[in-house]
Amino acid sequence: MSRLAKRPRANHKQTAEALRQQPGVWLVVGDYRNSISADNLARRIRYGYPIGNPDDSTPYHPAGAYETRTELVEDGTRVHARYTGGAA
């Protein structure tokens, strides 16, 4: 059985900065192999939870300033986000 190719890791600091520079514009955050991982990341972005190590902060701040959506793609689930600028 062959292994799945590694996917590039998302650079969340860079993505969050790009989103803040373009309020209201949907940008791709990354592609994930399964919908559970994608949904978990989307929720962390919306609520400003840490990404990765729980001791780390999040680049997606303040909480409620981002909206997310997911879509099924050929080999997984894609996460999109946009910066709205205000807390929900």
Side-chain angles (χ1 to χ4, degrees):
M1 179 182 340
S2 64
R3 290 180 161 226
L4 295 172
K6 279 197 166 190
R7 294 174 189 233
R9 294 191 69 143
N11 183 333
H12 292 288
K13 285 184 180 181
Q14 185 178 32
T15 302
E17 181 61 32
L19 289 165
R20 284 191 294 273
Q21 290 177 5
Q22 302 175 68
V25 176
W26 289 100
L27 297 178
V28 173
V29 175
D31 291 349
Y32 296 85
R33 281 202 169 76
N34 64 64
S35 62
I36 294 170
S37 296
D39 290 342
N40 182 31
L41 176 68
R43 184 174 45 261
R44 288 179 174 277
I45 291 171
R46 285 193 312 272
Y47 294 115
Y49 291 158
I51 311 267
N53 185 341
D55 296 332
D56 292 341
S57 63
T58 178
Y60 302 102
H61 56 80
Y66 295 86
E67 293 179 341
T68 58
R69 67 180 183 202
T70 59
E71 73 171 318
L72 295 178
V73 292
E74 185 174 326
D75 57 347
T77 304
R78 180 168 291 154
V79 177
H80 299 263
R82 71 177 171 179
Y83 180 69
T84 60

